[in-house]
Amino acid sequence: MSEQLKKSSALLLKLMQSRHSVRMFSTKEIPIEVIKDCIAIAGTAPSGANMQPWSFVLVRNKKMKTAIREEAERVEQEFYDTKITPEWREQLRPLGTDSNKPFLTDAPYLICIFVQKYGIKSDQQQVKHYYPSESAGIATGFLLSALHQLGISTLTYTPAPMNFIAKLLNRPRNERPYLIIAAGYAHEKYSPPDMEKKKLKDILTVI
Ligand SMILES: Cc1cc2nc3c(=O)[nH]c(=O)nc-3n(C[C@H](O)[C@H](O)[C@H](O)COP(=O)(O)O)c2cc1C
């Protein structure tokens, strides 16, 4: 039994080690039901006091993807021209990123994740949310893991500032834009940057 378990965990580790962010997507379609299941999996994540302080907006509409890309490239241009520090530029160099973001229109789906800073009851009263950012981070991890296990690639994307996405998607005032996850199949010509993960011994202390 424990031998079988060890084999299973080693296999799962291998599968998760094959995940990497993708910055060049194929435009090949993916059934929306598959993405919805993955978002439902994200919704099973633990959250502070089970408040589930997250909202997902699934964008597949071409016009909306183009609008998001245009705004994102505008803020990215400003970031690369005036805001980026020399240290940050150096750290981004191996990723080869710049202000062009074609993945925002090529990927069949943009999953826009919002953190609910507080809840709003039907009588408009506010409800406190506990650890909303931590909870949304865990839900995002569930989402990325589910997509990867189905062979779907992702890019976690964070244009700064990101307020434009709340405006474009007409989100309520209790929501803060958190992350944009581009999801689709990797472009056949894409090869990820050569990057290493820390070794287990460098991130784990067993006592
Ligand atoms: C919170 C967060 C924000 C990120 N923002 C961006 C981004 O704006 N643009 C980008 O190209 N990659 C972004 N990434 C992807 C990281 O660059 C990537 O995860 C990291 O280089 C490790 O590579 P891997 O995902 O292939 O393991 C982000 C990742 C995280 C977790």
Side-chain angles (χ1 to χ4, degrees), residues 120-151:
I120 302 176
K121 289 198 284 195
S122 49
D123 62 1
Q124 295 304 307
Q125 285 281 95
Q126 289 189 12
V127 188
K128 188 163 170 49
H129 281 174
Y130 305 92
Y131 302 104
S133 297
E134 290 84 347
S135 303
I138 293 170
T140 305
F142 275 41
L143 174 67
L144 298 183
S145 171
L147 289 164
H148 175 66
Q149 291 187 49
L150 293 169

Side-chain angles (χ1 to χ4, degrees), residues 7 22-23 27 35 44 53-54 56 76 83 85 133 146 148 154 157 187:
K7 271 189 194 153
V22 159
R23 294 184 177 80
T27 55
I35 307 297
T44 67
W54 44 62
F56 299 84
E76 292 280 1
K83 293 189 181 156
T85 60
S133 297
H148 175 66
T154 54
Y157 178 51
H187 193 284

Side-chain angles (χ1 to χ4, degrees), residues 17 19-23 76 80 88 91-92 95-98 101 103 140 144 154-160 178-180 190 192-193 195-197:
Q17 280 172 330
R19 186 209 59 81
H20 50 74
S21 294
V22 159
R23 294 184 177 80
E76 292 280 1
Y80 281 95
W88 202 343
Q91 282 160 346
L92 287 181
L95 305 183
T97 54
D98 59 27
K101 303 294 170 188
F103 60 81
T140 305
L144 298 183
T154 54
L155 179 66
T156 306
Y157 178 51
T158 45
Y178 186 62
L179 295 170
I180 299 173
Y190 183 71
M195 279 192 321
E196 289 204 345
K197 295 296 178 190

Side-chain angles (χ1 to χ4, degrees), residues 9-19 148:
S9 68
L11 274 177
L12 184 57
L13 172 61
K14 247 198 154 34
L15 176 61
M16 295 313 291
Q17 280 172 330
S18 70
R19 186 209 59 81
H148 175 66

Side-chain angles (χ1 to χ4, degrees), residues 4 10 23 41 52 58 71 86 125-126 163 174 182 191 207:
Q4 188 51 48
R23 294 184 177 80
I41 290 168
Q52 302 163 65
L58 181 54
E71 279 300 298
Q125 285 281 95
Q126 289 189 12
N163 322 4
N174 62 323
S191 53
I207 295 172

